[in-house]
């Protein structure tokens, strides 16, 4: 597992100009076309050190993109964590008190006895998020891995991913034992609801290529939703589509119950182990092995290692689909 610091290849935008909003919610902007259509949201900075998302939302706001149909919300979520970013300790700005992407259960948000910087922000934002039909939550990864879509466990997430067409790998999983993600909140995670959400892992946090991925998927998502036309978007944001998409079902997560975990190799993600029983690491001195042939490692990382944290997910390739052009 890589323990070195990755180089910071991109500039962190000053987003302070976006603090004031007509919604009354700082750093969250909603624009209404007055024409029937979906409410589409592009969300940045679920984690404070995932800068590619901030670059994209900052650019859309500065370009004054407005919806032709429906409503468009552009938001920066964990601004408090973003403000704490320190290049000498770049992983420390992920959150302030707790992971913002583990609080999205209505009972947790309703329980005002629970307090944290992230819960306070989530309670502000939910007033708008409760009205969103289509959510794109932009993220990046601890390790330098190929980008991927986190589609959630439902068929509707897979279907939307395949319509989007990129990135090439679609991960279907149930989330984290620590708490629910925004992309699984309420209707997004309800098979009976028409609401839908995707989480995109665009690449390593500070690599320039993650920004290119974030631009591409954002442009494709907005055009696909119909809230704007393709010609309304920067044409150089669109990248070539992959030839094929693969759908990977996570069957289990490896969750650390102590700090005594190490990987057997310098894994960064999407490695496939041909044989069941391959040792991929050790937890409390006991080997952690692949449970079946052709097992894929999904987002392995020890950068946030602590008890209760998922250090890697194990997945099976379920489907390969040619991309329509």
């Amino acid at each position: 597992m890589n323990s070195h610091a990755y180089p910071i290849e991109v500039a962190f935008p000053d987003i302070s100009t976006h603090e004031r909003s007509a919604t009354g919610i700082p750093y969250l902007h909603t624009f209404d076309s007055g024409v029937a259509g979906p409410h589409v949201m592009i969300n940045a900075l679920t984690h404070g050190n995932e800068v590619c998302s901030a670059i994209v939302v900052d650019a859309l706001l500065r370009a004054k993109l407005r919806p032709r149909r429906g409503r468009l919300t552009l938001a920066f979520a964990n601004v408090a964590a973003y403000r704490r970013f320190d290049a000498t300790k770049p992983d420390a700005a992920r959150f302030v008190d707790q992971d913002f992407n583990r609080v999205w259960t209505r009972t947790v948000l309703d329980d005002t006895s629970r307090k944290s910087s992230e819960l306070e922000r989530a309670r502000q934002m939910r007033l708008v998020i409760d009205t969103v039909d289509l959510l794109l939550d932009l993220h990046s990864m601890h390790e330098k891995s190929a980008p991927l879509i986190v589609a959630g466990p439902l068929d509707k997430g897979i279907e939307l991913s395949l319509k989007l067409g990129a990135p090439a790998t679609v991960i279907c999983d149930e989330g984290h034992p620590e708490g629910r993600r925004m992309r699984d909140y309420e209707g997004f995670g309800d098979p009976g609801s028409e609401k839908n959400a995707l989480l995109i892992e665009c690449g390593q946090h500070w690599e320039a290529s993650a920004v290119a991925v974030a631009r591409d998927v954002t442009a494709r998502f907005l055009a696909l939703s119909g809230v704007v036309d393709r010609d309304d978007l920067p044409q150089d944001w669109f990248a070539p589509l992959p030839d094929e998409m693969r759908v990977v079902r996570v069957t289990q997560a490896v969750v650390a119950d102590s700090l005594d975990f190490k990987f057997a190799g310098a894994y960064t993600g999407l490695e496939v182990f041909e044989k069941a029983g391959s040792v991929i690491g050790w937890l409390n001195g006991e080997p952690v092995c692949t449970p079946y042939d052709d097992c894929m490692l999904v987002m392995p990382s020890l950068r946030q290692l602590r008890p209760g944290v998922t250090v890697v997910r194990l997945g099976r390739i379920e489907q390969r689909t040619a991309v329509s052009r």
Side-chain angles (χ1 to χ4, degrees), residues 8 14 26 28 33 50 55 73 93 97 131 142-143 148-149 154 163 172 181 190 199 220 226 245 249 254 268 311 318:
I8 298 175
D14 177 4
L28 188 151
S33 69
E50 299 183 355
I55 292 170
T73 290
D97 297 318
T131 70
H142 299 305
E143 306 298 342
L148 51 88
I149 304 174
L154 304 178
K163 287 179 182 177
C172 307
R181 303 169 296 202
D190 179 356
L199 185 162
R220 291 187 183 283
M245 296 185 76
R249 178 76 59 179
V254 178
T268 60
V311 293
E318 285 192 341

Side-chain angles (χ1 to χ4, degrees), residues 35 51 58 64-65 75 84 90 98-99 107 115 124 126 145 156 199-200 278 280 289:
V35 177
V51 65
D58 173 66
K64 295 182 167 46
L65 181 70
R84 291 157 57 106
Q98 65 180 123
D99 195 320
T107 53
K115 299 186 184 300
Q124 288 180 332
R126 71 186 288 200
S145 176
K156 67 179 184 179
L199 185 162
I200 311 294
S278 299
I280 61 168
C289 301

Side-chain angles (χ1 to χ4, degrees), residues 33-280:
S33 69
V35 177
H39 184 181
V40 177
M41 179 174 176
I42 310 297
N43 187 63
L45 296 180
T46 292
H47 298 118
N49 59 353
E50 299 183 355
V51 65
C52 66
S53 62
I55 292 170
V56 166
V57 171
D58 173 66
L60 293 176
L61 286 167
R62 291 182 188 276
K64 295 182 167 46
L65 181 70
R66 298 294 183 265
R68 292 181 180 269
R69 294 158 287 275
R71 285 182 286 166
L72 173 63
T73 290
L74 302 172
F76 304 93
N78 202 341
V79 177
Y82 182 69
R83 287 174 175 157
R84 291 157 57 106
F85 185 81
D86 179 346
T88 67
K89 298 179 291 184
D91 292 314
R94 182 174 171 85
F95 55 81
V96 177
D97 297 318
Q98 65 180 123
D99 195 320
F100 184 82
N101 213 29
R102 304 290 185 270
V103 304
W104 291 93
T105 303
R106 187 166 292 275
T107 53
V108 171
L109 295 174
D110 286 343
D111 183 357
T112 56
S113 69
R114 302 191 190 198
K115 299 186 184 300
S116 71
S117 174
E118 281 72 22
L119 278 169
E120 179 180 350
R121 181 60 173 158
R123 288 165 182 151
Q124 288 180 332
M125 292 181 65
R126 71 186 288 200
L127 301 175
V128 171
I129 292 173
D130 281 341
T131 70
V132 169
D133 300 302
L134 292 169
L135 167 69
L136 181 68
D137 193 15
L138 295 170
H139 287 245
S140 53
M141 295 180 273
H142 299 305
E143 306 298 342
K144 195 175 179 68
S145 176
L148 51 88
I149 304 174
V150 179
L154 304 178
D155 288 343
K156 67 179 184 179
I158 298 173
E159 292 166 5
L160 182 58
S161 300
L162 296 178
K163 287 179 182 177
L164 189 66
T169 302
V170 181
I171 302 297
C172 307
D173 73 338
E174 298 283 347
H176 302 272
E178 281 187 292
R180 184 173 292 172
R181 303 169 296 202
M182 185 192 292
R183 67 126 290 112
D184 304 309
Y185 173 64
E186 292 293 294
F188 303 137
D190 179 356
S193 171
E194 293 185 0
K195 295 187 175 192
N196 214 341
L198 296 179
L199 185 162
I200 311 294
E201 299 284 2
C202 298
Q204 203 281 327
H205 294 322
W206 311 297
E207 63 180 337
S209 61
V211 178
V213 172
R215 288 171 175 158
D216 178 52
V217 296
T218 299
R220 291 187 183 283
F221 192 87
L222 289 170
L224 179 63
S225 74
V227 73
V228 298
D229 294 338
R230 185 182 174 107
D231 289 344
D232 297 326
L233 299 158
Q235 295 305 293
D236 60 356
W237 281 23
F238 292 93
L241 288 168
D243 294 328
E244 178 187 76
M245 296 185 76
R246 56 184 178 180
V247 177
V248 179
R249 178 76 59 179
V250 169
T251 60
Q252 64 195 77
V254 178
V255 179
D257 58 12
S258 74
L259 297 178
D260 186 11
F261 184 92
K262 62 181 179 180
F263 283 105
Y267 311 132
T268 60
L270 308 188
E271 294 88 356
V272 176
F273 289 80
E274 183 179 359
K275 296 297 183 183
S278 299
V279 176
I280 61 168

